[in-house]
Amino acid sequence: MTNSSQKKTARYLALESLEKVLTSGAYSNLQLNQVIEKNNLADNDRRLLTNLVYGVIQHRLTLEYWLEPFTKGKKIDDWVKALLMMAIYQYHYLDKVPDWAVTDESIKLAKQRGHEGIRKFVTAILHRILREGLTDFNQIASETTRASIEYSVPEWLITELINQYGTEKMIEIVQSLNQPANQSLRINTRLTDKEEVSRQLYEADLDFRDSQVAENALVLEHGVIANTEAFKNGEITIQDESSMLAVENMHLQPSFRVLDACAAPGGKTVQIAAELDADAGGKVTALDIHQHKIKLIESNAKRLAVNDVVKAIDLDARKVDEKFTDESFDAILIDAPCSGFGLIRRKPEIRYEKRLSDSYNLQKIQLEILAAVAPKIKKNGIITYSTCTILRQENDDVVNQFLANHPEFTLERTQTNLNLKDDRQSDTLTILPSDYGSDGFFVSSLRRTM
């Protein structure tokens, strides 16, 4: 048992967090946020904590493969396994931390969390690992299994990515998934502009660059966005570059009446709202099935000073007939519930939780939402259908099935302000995590012609 007076180091907190994520199903990003808020950590400790938690989860299959020969036939507690995997992660992936320091800190944790027998066991395993080295991936005969272990991605997903994108592109994608996620921000054009925000960030000694992906975005190289005055004042908000593209593609007018059909937590709702003018009649209606998320949308809108054009409603998008008449909206966004494989950098455990069947089950829901919402768009209006996944089943296949069942709609070319992938052959737009280092995302445009 841990003495409550003992200081919880970054490594101790990382071990606690990993135990909850790996064995109790906690979400890594939420778990980390809770730990960081609860503990007053120095910047370097916060970075180490985040690195260890995300790193071990990202490389879990690889680390288990390397650990298995040293623990074969031994029954060990979940937290001990997590501790050993964390040590191997540091040995292999953290060049700046010497092996002796990793070993010493890991043994201290074993003693702090367990009894003398566990300390001796961990000590022996770590010394064997350093002495004998880690098993080479080339010993795995199957190419699919080898890729799965090397990049820590389930075999079914490796196979699916090869089928859809080819082997070379699959490797690019899975390699990129284990890179750190960018910290990007969207400029709230209702309150400010890029020049003014850039000046504020520069004065705050933050390193940043223009986004290659979205027009009103900046990417932070160093620092914390949430600590800035611009964030506190609602002049900027945290949002991935790729996720901004769906709203860019809507080409909104200030007077538009817009439906955001699957809105929570409201990042795209407030992005839409920044383009609208209440005096001109502009309004965005945001739907979500959870009441507590409605409050989140409203809070987000208030912080960004766009609540005058936002109305959030607790409603399943498949039941829009209960609230709205046909042809109620000039533009509709369906950022559909999806498998989320474009977000693996931010939520690395997603890769282990999902199955191919989940993607097909979600496809049914996506088609139901599209079918329910379709009559609510005005003639010549556009439904923007988007997801944060990169699997064809939930993207182009959904669009094609919808069009086959709704001849009153046609597919138009997705256009972004920075003309991304302008030479592509498809009218839909798929951003892979390997393209720009942003999240994976899909955007399509469905115009009602009849």
Side-chain angles (χ1 to χ4, degrees), residues 347-359:
K347 299 177 181 179
E349 63 275 10
I350 286 176
R351 69 183 86 186
Y352 313 116
E353 296 172 349
K354 306 284 185 181
R355 301 290 179 270
L356 184 57
S357 57
D358 295 325
S359 194

Side-chain angles (χ1 to χ4, degrees), residues 289-326:
I289 58 174
H290 301 294
Q291 182 59 46
H292 71 280
K293 290 187 176 179
I294 294 300
K295 296 188 188 313
L296 191 59
I297 295 168
E298 291 171 341
S299 173
N300 209 1
K302 188 173 182 181
R303 186 179 73 83
L304 294 169
V306 294
N307 49 313
D308 59 330
V309 292
V310 174
K311 183 177 182 180
I313 299 175
D314 174 9
L315 183 68
D316 187 327
R318 292 170 290 186
K319 299 179 179 178
V320 287
D321 277 336
E322 294 178 8
K323 294 279 186 183
F324 305 103
T325 58
D326 286 356

